[in-house]
Amino acid sequence: MVERLRTQGIRDERVLAAMQAVPRHAFVDEGLAFSAYDDTPLPIGFQQTISQPFVVARMIELLRSGRELGRTLEVGAGCGYQAAVLSLLATEVYAVERIRALLDRARANLRPLRLANVRLKLADGSLGLPEAAPFDTIIVAAAAIGLPPALKEQLAPGGRLIIPVGGAEQRLLLIERQGGTFRETWCEAVRFVPLIGGTD
Ligand code: SAH
């Protein structure tokens, strides 16, 4: 998988090492384990999907921009796979999920990996996680129609945020906070499940 990520253009060695270290098959149903290292999204139940490895790697590479992730907020923990990858690159990972049953699954998937710096919480991530803010980096794993204002506000100075934006057509948007200003860079086209308000 990692060799393929390299040929697909992922250059950040720390991201490649983290992708190498996390067993993706441990996050999907046993019946899908044979596809776990294919470059494809996979169902994780509740009409949600674990993103394809290339998209996970690319988003984290863009978010890092060659720097440390520091304290990270992940919106849309799903099955916990991306949180595990982030935990190897960040000082602390706060991962929020709006579907309780998926959060339970993420907890169960992550437990055997004994990652001391990951915290999971049931919450509507479009509101960020005010009690743990500000964050050095924020990664959103579901597509928003527009950038939720709370996420921007919870970025630390010098912080970076990556989010898929759009409806039928989506693109990754990278936001970099420099003092009071926010620089926006549009990146590649992607396909994510929608960001939905509230929790179940
Ligand atoms: N990163 C995940 C995959 C995420 S799929 C993984 O590695 O498995 C997108 C997830 O975002 C879904 O689980 C969905 O329930 C969640 N989601 C959608 N809107 C949300 C919101 N407002 N707050 C928190 N989670 C949300």
Side-chain angles (χ1 to χ4, degrees), residues 158-178:
R160 299 177 300 284
L161 182 167
I162 188 131
I163 181 170
V165 175
E169 303 210 334
Q170 304 167 1
R171 262 180 195 284
L172 292 178
L173 174 61
L174 178 69
I175 307 272
E176 295 172 271
R177 177 170 199 165
Q178 288 151 346

Side-chain angles (χ1 to χ4, degrees), residues 48-49 74 76-79 82 97-99 102 123-125 141 195-196:
Q48 306 302 321
T49 52
E74 182 196 16
C79 67
Q82 182 165 262
E97 171 54 54
R98 61 176 296 280
I99 299 177
L102 272 178
D124 174 1
L195 187 74
I196 298 170

Side-chain angles (χ1 to χ4, degrees), residues 16-35:
L16 291 165
M19 297 287 295
Q20 173 83 53
V22 176
R24 197 166 185 263
H25 65 266
F27 291 84
V28 296
D29 285 345
E30 270 173 42
L32 292 170
F34 67 95
S35 315

